[in-house]
Amino acid sequence: MAKSALSFVCQNCGAAYNRWQGKCESCGEWNTLVEEDTTGATTMPVSIRSKRKGRLFQLESLTGKSTEAPRLPSGMAELDRVTGGGFVRGSVLLVGGDPGIGKSTLLTQATSLMARAGHRAVYISGEEAVAQVRLRAERLGLADAPVQLAAETSVEDIVSTLSEGAVPRLIVIDSIQTMWTDTVESAPGTVTQVRASAQALIRFAKKSGAAIILVGHVTKDGQIAGPRVVEHMVDAVLSFEGEGSQQFRILRAVKNRFGPTDEIGVFEMTGLGLREVSNPSELFLSERDLGSPGTAVFAGIEGTRPVLVELQALVAPTTLGTPRRAVVGWDPSRLSMVLAVLEAHCGVKLSGHDVYLNVAGGLRIQEPAADLAAAAALVSSLVNAPLPTDAVYFGEISLSGAVRPVAQTSARLKEAAKLGFGRAVLPESARGEVGGDAGLSLTTVGGLTSLVADIAARGAPKANRESSATEKNATPARFRRQEG
């Protein structure tokens, strides 16, 4: 009889230890080690191992004929954009997101649309009963879709059931943390069970050609729970993001073996489910507060799609010894760098002010092209000077204060012109990339100093600044002292 092998496995990263300890040395998390029986996962003794030699296989060269992987459209344009054009036969996708963000709603709509198109779609729920899934489909107006439902958690039973009859084109497993297999003795939800269950489902997908979507829980940090090896095993990892107070939802590809990893799909949560947003720029700019200081429109790129979003900044005198630096939707380190450049090269003294920066609409910006828009919004709030309402900003700021060019300038300008903007502030070296049909009045800046001086010159008059205590120490006075 095999000897029981007990080990302590981290439930956050999957690292195993021989004894319990408070902190996982692999991921740094505290109190995540749980004792598990890994007898089924251990290797066999040397005397029992097969002594046969490995078989020979043929090696191929890089040159040769390759065919595009056949895809099956889901019926949702935004979902197909993120996956690269649809689901690939035999592929496995992992979808993660915060609780209540709309993962089950999105996948219910996707399976219903595929079932209505004549494909066999199966929805396996390990967290909800069949009646609960039916109630959601009825609320979404999809009760008549021929989706096959089941509430099951045994991987062996699921594979045996799906192997009968026609091969399903799409299978949804909600969620992988509730699945369990007989090959290991651990409890459902543990690292060992999640790894073994995912491996069995992936093996079935590759053998049958069915596309499988695994729903994964997330940790408090927003990372998909369970071992990171599961993310390496699947073909694509999709992250469903959004704020509970916002109706916008963003589907982002973190990993994709069959498509781009920088595309996003934008949805709007309504009473009838998720509605696709074909023009995200118009949605993010729909509630702009025109004429207010501290707001700038950034022309960004998400994958191949240009997106215009509003950056809001608030600079206020601080009453604390250490000023606050708060940012939502942007990299805090990037904000600190922009503030340092403003103070070192442009003479903008922010050491006595609290700084708040927010990306409107719940979108998270990851490209450095937002540096120029963020700097313009910060200076505009500091000197109480509204920026032009018909202008967009984009450009990367270097540590020397120079404004560096960014990619896809023409696409950014074309999107801005389509939405009615009349001017653009962009790096000076990017003028050669712009064609003559941009349709915008272009203002090029080679350094951040010229942009700051232009915004400060439009600051509030002195009489208005002296009317309140907060505007009495505004930065235009600092600029006048420097000029004098």
Side-chain angles (χ1 to χ4, degrees):
M1 181 178 295
K3 183 180 179 180
S4 177
L6 296 178
S7 63
F8 295 88
V9 182
C10 176
Q11 303 301 302
N12 185 60
C13 67
Y17 301 89
N18 294 328
R19 60 183 180 84
W20 186 89
Q21 55 191 37
K23 182 180 180 181
C24 176
E25 298 177 356
S26 178
C27 63
E29 292 292 330
W30 288 87
N31 299 325
T32 58
L33 299 187
V34 176
E35 186 178 9
E36 294 186 14
D37 186 356
T38 59
T39 303
T42 57
T43 59
M44 295 182 296
V46 178
S47 59
I48 306 178
R49 293 177 187 172
S50 174
K51 297 182 178 181
R52 74 173 182 87
K53 294 183 178 180
R55 64 178 179 86
L56 299 178
F57 57 90
Q58 184 179 2
L59 299 176
E60 303 285 347
S61 63
L62 291 177
T63 59
K65 184 179 180 181
S66 60
T67 59
E68 183 70 21
R71 296 182 180 272
L72 180 64
S74 64
M76 304 180 70
E78 293 298 304
L79 179 57
D80 291 340
R81 173 189 291 271
V82 177
T83 57
F87 301 120
V88 178
R89 290 178 56 87
S91 63
V92 180
L93 294 82
L94 180 62
V95 179
D98 295 332
I101 203 67
K103 301 184 297 295
S104 300
T105 301
L106 173 67
L107 298 179
T108 300
Q109 294 182 226
T111 52
S112 300
L113 291 175
M114 292 193 63
R116 285 177 174 176
H119 304 288
R120 186 187 178 191
V122 181
Y123 192 101
I124 306 294
S125 177
E127 301 177 345
E128 299 175 306
V130 173
Q132 292 176 290
V133 181
R134 286 173 176 169
L135 286 176
R136 183 191 305 117
E138 183 178 355
R139 176 175 57 86
L140 300 176
L142 303 172
D144 59 335
V147 178
Q148 297 178 325
L149 302 177
E152 185 57 56
T153 57
S154 174
V155 174
E156 284 76 15
D157 295 345
I158 292 174
V159 171
S160 299
T161 302
L162 297 179
S163 300
E164 296 293 329
V167 177
R169 300 302 301 271
L170 179 64
I171 303 171
V172 174
I173 305 295
D174 188 7
S175 64
I176 188 61
Q177 276 78 14
T178 61
M179 299 293 124
W180 63 276
T181 175
D182 294 334
T183 58
V184 294
E185 298 296 333
S186 302
T190 58
V191 169
T192 306
Q193 278 287 2
V194 170
R195 182 191 299 115
S197 300
Q199 186 176 12
L201 292 171
I202 292 173
R203 188 164 53 247
F204 170 74
K206 303 303 180 183
K207 181 179 178 181
S208 64
I212 298 181
I213 300 179
L214 307 177
V215 179
H217 296 167
V218 295
T219 62
K220 61 182 179 180
D221 300 330
Q223 303 293 328
I224 297 179
R228 296 302 297 268
V229 68
V230 175
E231 299 186 26
H232 295 283
M233 294 163 59
V234 299
D235 298 304
V237 179
L238 308 181
S239 176
F240 205 36
E241 307 169 356
E243 298 291 338
S245 58
Q246 298 280 353
Q247 68 270 31
F248 312 129
R249 301 290 186 270
I250 298 174
L251 183 65
R252 190 187 302 273
V254 181
K255 168 191 174 182
N256 194 352
R257 290 174 178 165
F258 302 106
T261 58
D262 50 4
E263 289 285 0
I264 65 168
V266 184
F267 301 86
E268 182 182 6
M269 179 63 76
T270 65
L272 297 177
L274 292 168
R275 183 183 68 86
E276 298 180 69
V277 179
S278 58
N279 191 351
S281 301
E282 189 173 359
L283 184 64
F284 292 138
L285 299 177
S286 59
E287 299 180 0
R288 287 184 61 201
D289 190 6
L290 300 178
S292 297
T295 61
V297 177
F298 164 59
I301 293 289
E302 290 289 344
T304 59
R305 164 188 284 176
V307 176
L308 269 62
V309 64
E310 182 184 26
L311 268 64
Q312 303 170 349
L314 176 62
V315 180
T318 184
T319 58
L320 306 174
T322 303
R324 291 200 59 183
R325 302 289 188 259
V327 56
V328 177
W330 203 38
D331 187 7
S333 302
R334 203 78 193 174
L335 174 63
S336 301
M337 188 205 74
V338 172
L339 295 177
V341 173
L342 285 173
E343 186 151 356
H345 297 286
C346 304
V348 180
K349 304 301 180 182
L350 296 168
S351 57
H353 293 77
D354 293 331
V355 176
Y356 304 88
L357 186 69
N358 176 49
V359 180
L363 181 67
R364 180 166 183 81
I365 299 175
Q366 298 180 346
E367 60 172 335
D371 292 350
L372 194 63
L378 291 170
V379 177
S380 170
S381 175
L382 184 65
V383 303
N384 195 29
L387 299 175
T389 58
D390 62 340
V392 296
Y393 299 79
F394 60 91
E396 180 184 356
I397 297 176
S398 65
L399 293 180
S400 63
V403 181
R404 299 169 56 88
V406 295
Q408 304 188 44
T409 300
S410 300
R412 302 173 195 264
L413 297 178
K414 187 179 297 183
E415 179 72 10
K418 184 173 67 174
L419 293 178
F421 288 88
R423 67 180 77 177
V425 180
L426 68 161
E428 185 175 14
S429 55
R431 179 181 288 274
E433 304 178 14
V434 182
D437 55 348
L440 297 175
S441 175
L442 304 181
T443 302
T444 58
V445 290
L448 191 57
T449 306
S450 59
L451 177 65
V452 172
D454 180 66
I455 298 175
R458 298 195 304 267
K462 180 179 179 180
N464 295 339
R465 292 199 302 271
E466 294 177 351
S467 61
S468 63
T470 57
E471 295 179 354
K472 189 173 182 180
N473 296 326
T475 311
R478 303 179 187 272
F479 284 96
R480 289 198 305 272
R481 285 198 298 270
Q482 291 179 1
E483 294 174 357

